[in-house]
Amino acid sequence: MRIFGAFASPHFVGEFSRYRNKITHRNSPSVDYPEVYIEFEDRVGRPLLNAKGERGVLYDMGAERTVPEYMFLPLYNTTALTMGHYIRLLRDLQAIPRFAR
């Protein structure tokens, strides 16, 4: 049970998992270069009412990221730490006689 409890316990595993989930379940996050990231825009718009009482819709379009969500080197370090952690846990599992070869 200690091994299963340790699976997601270090903070870097959570950081890695958030990145992996973004890649797996939505459009890819920006790494290093925000200008090559595809930003999906909401085309619903917000209601607008001017001083004369005229109604309209305001669309926020053309906004670009100015800062990337992730930087490669810290992301690489987090990934390496996570993979090392998983390898240690797999070795701990293999040391249990029931799971040994």
Side-chain angles (χ1 to χ4, degrees):
M1 293 313 294
R2 177 193 60 80
I3 294 170
F4 291 113
F7 187 76
S9 62
H11 67 88
F12 52 82
V13 173
E15 293 174 22
F16 170 76
S17 295
R18 281 188 292 281
Y19 175 75
R20 187 202 59 85
N21 289 343
K22 286 179 183 180
I23 286 212
T24 305
H25 301 294
R26 60 171 219 175
N27 55 325
S28 297
S30 60
V31 179
D32 285 344
Y33 300 100
E35 58 273 5
V36 296
Y37 173 77
I38 298 171
E39 186 76 52
F40 293 110
E41 298 174 344
D42 180 10
R43 299 297 171 106
V44 175
R46 294 179 294 172
L48 183 66
L49 184 65
N50 67 10
K52 296 179 184 179
E54 299 170 330
R55 296 184 182 273
V57 179
L58 180 63
Y59 297 97
D60 295 323
M61 296 189 310
E64 286 186 2
R65 281 188 191 275
T66 57
V67 178
E69 287 181 79
Y70 296 94
M71 296 302 291
F72 177 78
L73 290 178
L75 183 60
Y76 178 85
N77 185 46
T78 298
T79 303
L81 288 171
T82 301
M83 294 300 120
H85 174 68
Y86 289 163
I87 289 168
R88 283 188 298 279
L89 291 179
L90 288 171
R91 286 187 180 140
D92 288 348
L93 276 174
Q94 190 177 28
I96 297 172
R98 180 181 184 115
F99 300 116
R101 291 187 212 186

